[in-house]
Amino acid sequence: MEELIEEARKRVLGSKRLVALTGAGISAESGVPTFRGKGGIWQRYKVTDLATPHAFAKDPRLVWEFYNWRRDLISKVTYNPAHKALVDLEKIVPHFALITQNIDDLHRKAGSKNLIELHGNIWWVKCSKCDYKAKDKRVPIPFPPICPKCGGMLRPDVVWFGEFLDMDTLNMAVSEVEKADTILVVGTSAVVQPAASLIGIGKKSGAFLIEVNLEPTEATPIFDISIRGRAGEILPRFI
Ligand code: OAD
Ligand code: ZN
């Protein structure tokens, strides 16, 4: 493992265009529960009840309770050494982009600048009827939250299962991985599309792929290096 970490460190520090792709595992050490695996949110709750457009249409109060619970939790935690290491890497390498599936805002809180949030952000709301969008940091958001523009119901500005990602955001992410020489994938089970497919796109374009995860994942076979360990312990060692 020591040799793998050393090789990954050299690759990362020698990179001209580095992309990091992160998932819930990078925030686990901050105290934000992951989705799959032990203690995962989707072990305790059904995704179809809480994170789909259908769930919101059927029971918006329940969906808002779920997001208010996550708002409360996320408002009480902060970034960890793994988030911080990615901030440092952005300062070291010539070009850096951070693509995250997380909605917890912890990368921004840590100070990452070139950040692409594939699944939205927990602190933003949008109207379920019109194009209204706003930042809203209230915890909790009182139910029912009403759109000031059209009177429709506001919803979290996040991507739910069965919804498309924002096209501009996804295109930006694809363009970054296509140009990257090195891609560092941290704390994702790599099962949710299209986010996971970015790894394969990077591979096709010739990038060197490094994975940091507690466990093997769906994508492990295509990585050049897979490091098993906690993100908060491994990433600071790259600097
Ligand atoms: P998952 O919960 O599916 O996967 C988390 C991954 O992090 C697992 O592979 C763990 O082994 C790993 N992990 C846990 N703790 C870690 C640590 N301290 N250090 C390193 N790795 C660790 O989360 P995501 O892959 O992010 O989407 O899930 C993808 C999407 O599914 C989420 O963005 C969310 C979810 O449903 C939507 O809500 C649309
Ligand atoms: Zn509206």
Side-chain angles (χ1 to χ4, degrees):
M1 194 52 78
E2 287 307 307
E3 273 165 35
L4 288 183
I5 294 173
E6 182 53 23
E7 193 191 343
R9 190 181 73 87
K10 282 194 193 131
R11 287 282 180 171
V12 163
L13 294 182
S15 167
K16 303 244 164 357
R17 291 191 74 100
L18 177 63
V19 167
L21 171 66
T22 65
I26 199 168
S27 296
E29 289 158 73
S30 292
V32 183
T34 60
F35 295 97
R36 296 166 190 84
K38 209 172 79 218
I41 289 178
W42 302 145
Q43 299 282 327
R44 284 180 281 161
Y45 306 101
K46 278 203 334 220
V47 67
T48 43
D49 289 343
L50 298 171
T52 63
H54 179 73
F56 189 72
K58 199 177 118 201
D59 195 347
R61 184 187 289 273
L62 178 70
V63 172
W64 266 114
E65 268 173 26
F66 174 59
Y67 281 92
N68 276 331
W69 168 70
R70 292 180 70 189
R71 280 176 168 248
D72 181 54
L73 197 155
I74 289 165
S75 71
K76 290 174 178 151
V77 304
T78 195
Y79 58 85
N80 67 55
H83 297 98
K84 193 66 188 50
L86 294 180
V87 177
D88 294 340
L89 283 177
E90 182 162 24
K91 293 178 186 150
I92 294 170
V93 298
H95 178 85
F96 177 85
L98 176 47
I99 304 170
T100 189
Q101 299 166 83
N102 300 344
I103 62 171
D104 59 27
D105 210 37
L106 293 184
H107 285 303
R108 187 172 289 106
K109 206 169 171 182
S112 284
K113 297 279 182 284
N114 191 19
L115 178 62
I116 300 172
E117 293 171 307
L118 292 176
H119 294 161
N121 185 296
I122 185 113
W123 302 119
W124 283 74
V125 296
K126 66 180 182 186
C127 181
S128 55
K129 297 242 156 64
C130 74
D131 63 358
Y132 178 80
K133 248 186 204 216
K135 193 169 184 176
D136 189 335
K137 292 206 74 168
R138 286 177 298 167
V139 180
I141 291 196
F143 189 86
I146 297 301
C147 172
K149 210 169 139 186
C150 80
M153 175 117 54
L154 296 177
R155 55 164 278 181
D157 186 12
V158 299
V159 178
W160 283 329
F161 284 90
E163 292 186 317
F164 291 109
L165 274 63
D166 176 73
M167 256 309 159
D168 292 339
T169 307
L170 182 59
N171 286 339
M172 249 191 312
V174 169
S175 152
E176 287 290 354
V177 298
E178 280 175 346
K179 286 186 274 183
D181 56 44
T182 310
I183 301 178
L184 177 61
V185 179
V186 186
T188 177
S189 58
V191 293
V192 172
Q193 300 298 351
S197 68
L198 292 170
I199 303 168
I201 295 173
K203 177 94 185 170
K204 251 196 202 145
S205 315
F208 189 84
L209 302 184
I210 303 165
E211 175 177 61
V212 178
N213 198 302
L214 288 180
E215 301 169 353
T217 68
E218 290 286 307
T220 295
I222 74 166
F223 281 92
D224 296 291
I225 298 181
S226 280
I227 298 170
R228 299 279 152 258
R230 288 162 148 254
E233 285 162 18
I234 305 294
L235 296 200
R237 299 185 54 189
F238 293 165
I239 315 294

